[in-house]
């Protein structure tokens, strides 16, 4: 890492933590319903919807409501994709999406994963991008906020039978948190050059005529191959360029704020129309971590002890800095094979150098590697560089950040509730060491909470490792691999890691738009999401019902450096125990092979 | 207190809250952003199009394919079927050990050398690698200066003149940290074209 990298990282963190404090207090306030005159509008909406805002429920009804609500989203999004050819706002006349791909995409956006097996600009009509994908970007983020607020209520209340009203929480998260932020951010993006229109794609004459080899196709549009199965091509030329258009900025803003990550275009935030400048890149990175960081502050406020929130935030930030620094320095090292050919990878005042394959010049190494760490620390999954082309260890950093369970900031809501489950595990381990009943925030942690916490922590590693095993052992799974050697295994491991942890970024060489991967990854995404949400809400319910015990000299304080260190240790220990063998087979082997040639 | 779902209605609020929030976030919000953006930033919202002599010649933000040695060349582009296909953005997704990666770099290096055999400057790495989007409008400042001698010789203009054109167009990092020193290839080549006219 050079000075520029450290400066960018420091500036980024300073801005993020500064903004998190006021936003966190604001979120705590509006989620409690202290919204002034807006309450009238809100109450009107509830009357329209048949919701009694003061009627709270227990955890089970809350969870059931969320699942039904998300199930409706799934149906609506699937239907829109399957019917888009006959619906309005489809100027390119894009055809209906295939059933397996539409199912995968619907699960993907409902679960806040936003894994994309399709290429946006050649698949999705404007109506689907708006009324389908943008809607789920909002609602899946609102779901995350609702769950974490319910869990925090469980910690804050005592001797209570209810954890909140799911409809009220969803509505407030959308109306007061997500919509205003998204509106402002989308206008800032347009100012930088992000598209926002509903016009058809625009064809312009280019300065030069491009000569290229076009694949030969038969009358049905299928590629022709020779006797050996090699694709046939013929020389072709093109004197025009078709510029994809669309309502990009409005989706872009919530894609990042909601840690969704699904790009309007195939190249996601690497596309100049999605992320045109270095400044828009900084705004994007801030938007990704903004709400996850702010929610830690909201947590501190709601449990009546700001230090509790800052302790969690400190643990997240420390792990993040280590991984971001790793990604930046490995990418700056570059690829020794290109150096051997005579390409100059040295950083200088005139170029960023380093591993520039799959990276944009305007972001360089610093802006690309930091973005990769940000997007995988959060369960965002937007990419501004192709992670598949990262150096082996540079690409391992995003992989590790996801495998830690998306708790290093994590997704909107999901990151904090994941980290709080780890906090419960931490006080449990500490309790075992000193032989006392563990407590967290005055609540005794007992068998039921530990069962649910274990379930919430273990469900994703089981899906990742079992899913990877299934994919590498089946022909359909291996058929998707794009890169030879250990990297091919990493592509599959990355796909399952990303899906089960609801991240959505990819080693995108993997051909995942096949029935096999569409179904496997959809299952991973759904259970990776709701397999965690349900036990977390169960913990919320049982904690809310408990009495508060007074802190004694034997209570482990959960706001100091000792607890932060223990928490980091627990997160790393669980992550390492789960994934070291798999990482050794993928990125580590590849790294040794890459540098052995030198 | 209400733990049993049967006692609190779920389906009606679920459907009506979903429909309401979907209309708000999926129709009202994007249309409102479109309306305001078209008033405040009409150029940017519609693609930052560039025109020369009254003709649209592309977008400032989207790179074009250049292979004529008299022009500056951009990054490699992995879009299909043609490079710089702005209706199908894509990177190469080649891993660092993929032979196809070194092969593509070698082809580009050979072309650069063949077009300018005398050039002894080191070849900047961004000139031999594919961008993430396949539409990168920029090259590093180093990559522009590397090509200056070739362009000057083939166009019959003094090297100093071409270097001055580059220097005018180098975009430096914002506030010293944001972004990398870079040049917009399409704009640079448009400036060259104006030189001829």
């Amino acid at each position: 890492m050079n000075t520029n990298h450290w400066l960018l990282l420091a500036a980024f963190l300073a801005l993020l933590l500064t903004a998190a404090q006021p936003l966190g207090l604001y979120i705590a306030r509006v989620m409690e319903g202290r919204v002034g005159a807006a309450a009238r509008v809100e109450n009107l909406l509830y009357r329209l919807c048949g919701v009694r805002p003061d009627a709270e429920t227990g955890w089970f009804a809350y969870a059931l409501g969320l699942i039904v609500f998300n199930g409706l989203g799934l149906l609506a999004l699937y239907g829109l994709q399957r019917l888009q050819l006959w619906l309005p706002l489809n100027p390119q006349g894009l055809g209906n999406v295939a059933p397996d791909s539409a199912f995968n995409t619907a699960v993907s956006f409902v679960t806040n994963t936003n894994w994309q097996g399709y290429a946006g600009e050649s698949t999705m009509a404007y109506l689907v991008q708006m009324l389908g994908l943008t809607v789920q970007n909002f609602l899946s983020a609102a779901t995350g906020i609702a769950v974490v607020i319910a869990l925090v209520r469980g910690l804050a209340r005592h001797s209570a039978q209810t954890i909140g009203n799911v409809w009220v929480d969803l509505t407030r998260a959308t109306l007061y948190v997500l919509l205003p932020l998204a509106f402002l951010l989308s206008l800032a993006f347009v100012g930088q050059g992000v598209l926002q229109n509903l016009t058809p794609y625009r064809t312009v004459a280019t300065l030069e005529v491009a000569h290229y080899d076009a694949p030969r196709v038969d009358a049905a549009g299928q590629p022709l191959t020779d006797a050996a199965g090699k694709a046939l091509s013929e020389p072709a030329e093109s004197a025009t360029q078709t510029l994809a258009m669309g309502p990009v900025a409005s989706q872009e803003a919530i894609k990042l704020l909601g840690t969704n990550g699904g790009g309007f275009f195939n190249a996601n935030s690497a596309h100049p129309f999605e992320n045109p400048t270095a400044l828009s890149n900084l705004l994007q990175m801030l938007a990704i971590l903004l709400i996850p960081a702010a929610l830690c502050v909201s947590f501190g406020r709601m449990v009546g002890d700001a230090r509790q929130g800052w302790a969690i935030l400190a643990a997240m930030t420390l792990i993040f800095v280590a991984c971001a620094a790793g990604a930046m320095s490995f990418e700056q090292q570059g690829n020794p094979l290109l150096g051997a050919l005579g390409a100059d990878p040295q950083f200088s005042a005139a170029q960023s150098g380093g591993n520039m394959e799959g990276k944009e010049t305007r972001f360089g190494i610093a802006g690309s590697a930091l973005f990769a760490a940000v997007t995988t620390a959060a369960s965002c999954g937007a990419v501004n560089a192709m992670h598949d082309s990262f150096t082996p260890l540079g690409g391992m950093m995003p992989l590790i950040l996801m495998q830690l369970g998306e708790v290093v900031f994590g997704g909107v809501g999901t990151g904090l509730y994941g980290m709080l489950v780890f906090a419960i595990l931490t006080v449990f381990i500490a309790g075992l060491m000193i032989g006392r009943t563990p407590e967290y925030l005055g609540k005794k942690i007992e068998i039921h909470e530990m069962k649910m916490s274990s379930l919430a922590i273990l469900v994703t590693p089981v899906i990742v490792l079992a899913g990877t095993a299934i994919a590498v052992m089946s022909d359909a799974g291996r058929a998707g691999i794009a890169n030879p050697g250990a990297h091919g295994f990493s592509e599959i491991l990355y796909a399952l890691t990303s899906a089960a942890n609801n991240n959505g970024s990819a080693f995108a060489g993997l051909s995942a738009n096949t029935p096999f991967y569409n179904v496997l990854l959809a299952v991973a995404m759904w259970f990776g999401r709701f397999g965690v949400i349900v036990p977390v809400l169960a913990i919320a319910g049982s904690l809310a019902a408990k009495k508060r015990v007074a802190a004694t000299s034997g209570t482990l304080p959960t706001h100091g450096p000792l607890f932060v260190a223990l928490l980091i240790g627990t997160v790393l220990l669980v992550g390492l125990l789960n994934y070291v063998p798999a990482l050794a087979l993928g990125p580590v082997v590849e790294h040794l092979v890459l540098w052995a040639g030198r | 207190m209400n733990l049993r779902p049967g006692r609190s209605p779920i389906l009606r609020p679920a459907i009506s809250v979903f429909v309401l929030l979907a209309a708000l976030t999926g129709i009202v919000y994007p249309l409102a952003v479109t309306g305001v953006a078209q008033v405040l930033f009409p150029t940017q919202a519609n693609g930052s199009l560039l025109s020369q002599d009254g003709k649209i010649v592309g977008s400032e933000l989207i790179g074009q394919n250049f292979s004529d040695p008299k022009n500056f060349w951009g990054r490699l582009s992995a879009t299909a079927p043609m490079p710089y296909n702005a209706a199908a953005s894509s990177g190469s997704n080649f891993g660092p050990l993929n032979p196809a990666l070194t092969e593509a770099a070698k082809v580009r290096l050979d072309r650069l050398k063949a077009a300018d055999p005398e050039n002894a400057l080191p070849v900047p790495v961004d000139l031999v690698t594919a961008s993430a989007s396949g539409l990168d409008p920029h090259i590093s400042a180093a990559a522009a200066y590397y090509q200056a001698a070739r362009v000057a010789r083939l166009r019959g203009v003094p090297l100093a003149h071409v270097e001055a054109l580059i220097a005018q167009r180098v975009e430096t990092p914002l506030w010293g940290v944001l972004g990398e020193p870079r040049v917009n290839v399409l704009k640079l080549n448009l400036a060259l074209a104006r030189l001829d006219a």
Side-chain angles (χ1 to χ4, degrees):
Chain A
M1 275 180 82
N2 54 44
T3 335
N4 272 39
H5 294 182
W6 285 115
L7 277 175
L8 180 64
L9 182 57
F12 170 73
L13 284 175
L15 288 170
L16 175 70
L17 297 177
T18 309
Q21 166 78 8
L23 181 64
L25 296 179
Y26 170 79
I27 293 177
R29 209 180 74 213
V30 297
M31 292 309 288
E32 284 167 8
R34 290 189 283 135
V35 294
R40 286 215 190 135
V41 185
E42 199 188 317
N43 280 324
L44 184 73
L45 295 185
Y46 296 142
R47 215 166 311 139
L48 276 174
C49 297
V51 170
R52 295 209 338 263
D54 48 350
E56 295 202 346
T57 63
W59 76 268
F60 187 75
Y62 197 99
L64 199 65
L66 272 185
I67 289 174
V68 170
F69 183 76
N70 282 286
L72 286 172
L74 188 71
L75 286 177
L77 181 49
Y78 180 81
L80 278 171
Q81 293 178 77
R82 298 284 294 135
L83 303 173
Q84 68 172 2
L85 183 57
W86 303 303
L87 296 172
L89 281 178
N90 184 358
Q92 297 312 114
L94 297 169
N96 295 329
V97 183
D100 60 315
S101 174
F103 169 65
N104 180 281
T105 303
V107 173
S108 169
F109 277 71
V110 167
T111 57
N112 199 260
T113 312
N114 308 62
W115 170 270
Q116 294 174 290
Y118 62 91
E121 60 267 56
S122 54
T123 312
M124 296 298 178
Y126 295 166
L127 185 76
V128 178
Q129 299 268 24
M130 287 163 53
L131 192 53
L133 304 179
T134 302
V135 167
Q136 283 310 320
N137 278 344
F138 276 99
L139 299 186
S140 63
T143 299
I145 295 180
V147 173
V148 80
I149 294 291
L151 176 62
V152 174
R153 281 195 198 111
L155 284 163
R157 291 175 178 182
H158 56 95
S159 317
Q161 298 300 320
T162 62
I163 58 168
N165 181 319
V166 63
W167 313 117
V168 172
D169 288 345
L170 286 169
T171 307
R172 285 180 181 159
T174 310
L175 285 188
Y176 303 130
V177 183
L178 300 172
L179 260 177
L181 283 174
F183 187 77
L184 293 177
L185 188 63
S186 53
L187 289 179
F189 282 156
V190 181
Q192 289 296 302
V194 179
L195 299 179
Q196 183 70 24
N197 60 55
L198 297 168
T199 53
Y201 294 2
R202 189 156 185 154
T203 300
V204 296
T206 50
L207 231 55
E208 272 188 25
V209 176
H211 300 272
Y212 62 99
D213 287 325
R216 279 175 62 187
V217 292
D218 62 19
Q222 293 302 309
L224 288 170
T225 52
D226 63 13
K230 228 177 130 231
L232 293 171
S233 63
E234 57 196 353
E237 56 177 47
S238 158
T240 60
Q241 187 181 43
T242 298
L243 303 169
M245 294 279 136
V248 181
S250 53
Q251 184 168 338
E252 194 66 15
I254 189 61
K255 155 188 137 182
L256 303 156
L257 285 167
T259 60
N260 293 284
F264 196 94
F265 301 116
N266 187 44
N268 209 304
S269 282
H271 197 296
F273 278 156
E274 281 202 40
N275 190 3
T277 64
L279 181 59
S280 69
N281 195 49
L282 177 73
L283 287 175
Q284 299 213 341
M285 294 191 287
L286 286 170
I288 293 172
L289 292 189
L290 183 61
I291 297 180
L295 280 168
C296 296
V297 175
S298 316
F299 158 66
R301 166 55 64 102
M302 288 175 73
V303 298
D305 182 358
R307 296 172 304 173
Q308 302 289 345
W310 286 105
I312 300 280
L313 196 52
M316 292 175 168
T317 307
L318 288 171
I319 303 178
F320 170 75
V321 168
C323 291
M328 286 166 130
S329 47
F330 291 125
E331 288 312 292
Q332 190 65 60
Q333 270 185 356
N335 184 336
L337 300 181
L338 295 186
L341 285 178
D344 173 23
Q346 268 309 311
F347 173 84
S348 75
Q351 69 159 347
S352 75
N355 176 28
M356 283 302 287
E357 180 70 22
K359 291 191 181 61
E360 298 283 298
T361 313
R362 62 193 178 282
F363 309 139
I365 298 299
S368 302
L370 182 58
F371 195 108
V374 166
T375 194
T376 49
S379 71
C380 182
V383 294
N384 78 350
M386 294 301 131
H387 293 186
D388 212 352
S389 298
F390 271 35
T391 61
L393 297 187
M396 189 169 78
M397 294 300 142
L399 204 45
I400 288 177
L401 278 165
M402 291 188 286
Q403 288 171 340
L404 293 179
E406 289 297 11
V407 295
V408 183
F409 295 103
V412 166
T414 64
L416 180 59
Y417 67 64
M419 200 53 141
L420 290 176
V421 170
F422 269 108
I424 289 174
L425 180 63
T426 304
V427 295
F428 175 75
I429 293 174
L432 286 182
M433 289 197 277
I434 54 174
R436 273 184 58 97
T437 308
E439 299 157 18
Y440 187 53
L441 300 173
K443 295 294 175 67
K444 278 203 169 115
I445 304 302
E446 291 168 300
I447 294 175
H448 179 67
E449 291 80 43
M450 284 321 299
K451 277 186 184 160
M452 289 299 133
S453 298
S454 310
L455 201 61
I457 287 174
L458 289 177
V459 68
T460 43
V462 168
I463 298 172
V464 172
L465 296 174
T468 304
I470 292 171
V472 293
M473 285 190 304
S474 61
D475 290 334
R478 287 193 304 269
I481 292 175
N483 282 289
H487 197 85
F489 172 76
S490 301
E491 286 181 342
I492 293 180
L493 178 66
Y494 197 106
L496 268 300
T497 301
S498 172
N501 287 289
N502 298 141
N503 181 278
S505 65
F507 274 8
L510 186 76
S511 302
N513 196 0
T514 60
F516 174 82
Y517 277 112
N518 277 332
V519 172
L520 178 72
L521 296 175
V523 170
M525 290 187 280
W526 186 263
F527 288 99
R529 174 83 165 173
F530 294 101
V532 179
I533 283 183
V534 173
V536 164
L537 287 175
I539 295 172
S542 82
L543 287 179
K546 284 177 195 276
K547 290 196 180 67
R548 183 171 290 146
V549 293
T552 65
S553 59
T555 306
L556 171 72
T558 51
H559 53 71
L562 175 66
F563 179 73
V564 172
L566 273 175
L567 180 58
I568 293 176
T570 309
V571 170
L572 294 181
L573 185 72
V574 171
L576 284 176
L577 287 176
N578 283 328
Y579 290 109
V580 161
L583 291 174
L585 288 175
V588 176
V589 166
E590 193 189 5
H591 174 78
L592 296 175
V593 174
L594 180 66
W595 289 90
R598 260 179 57 136
Chain B
M1 163 179 165
N2 188 354
L3 286 173
R4 280 181 296 136
R7 288 197 33 213
S8 69
I10 283 189
L11 211 54
R12 163 143 190 246
I15 294 174
S16 38
V17 171
F18 176 73
V19 169
L20 208 88
L21 292 183
L24 199 59
T25 59
I27 297 175
V28 177
Y29 157 75
L31 292 186
V33 174
T34 310
V36 177
Q38 289 288 340
V39 172
L40 290 183
F41 308 110
T43 314
Q44 291 92 325
N46 295 311
S48 309
L49 300 175
L50 285 175
S51 55
Q52 182 137 310
D53 309 326
K55 211 179 73 180
I56 304 279
V57 289
S59 164
E60 180 182 348
L61 296 175
I62 303 291
Q64 292 186 6
N65 186 57
F66 292 103
S67 53
D68 184 340
K70 285 168 77 178
N71 280 327
F72 284 91
W73 298 350
R75 305 284 307 274
L76 294 179
S77 165
T79 61
M82 74 283 272
Y84 287 91
N85 180 356
S89 58
S90 173
S92 74
N93 283 311
F94 292 149
L97 273 168
N98 195 328
L101 172 74
T102 31
E103 181 56 32
K106 223 162 115 14
V107 168
R108 175 46 88 85
L109 277 168
D110 290 347
R111 282 198 188 139
L112 284 167
K113 295 276 181 224
D116 194 12
E118 249 108 88
N119 197 336
L121 290 171
V123 182
V125 70
D126 59 303
L127 264 190
V128 305
T129 47
S131 64
S133 62
L135 305 173
D136 194 340
H138 297 108
I139 50 176
S140 66
Y145 285 117
Y146 174 83
Q147 300 182 70
R150 181 194 78 216
V151 171
R153 177 166 48 80
L154 292 175
R155 286 187 174 256
V157 287
L159 176 61
H161 204 128
V162 174
E163 288 188 333
L165 275 186
I166 297 174
Q168 281 165 20
R169 281 167 184 76
V170 170
E171 301 168 40
T172 48
L174 189 60
W175 306 317
V177 277
L178 285 181
E180 303 291 336
R182 62 197 180 276
V183 182
N184 187 305
V185 184
L186 176 58
K187 281 176 151 175
L188 186 57
N189 285 331
L190 283 170
L192 287 175
R194 277 198 297 272
L195 217 57
D196 293 345

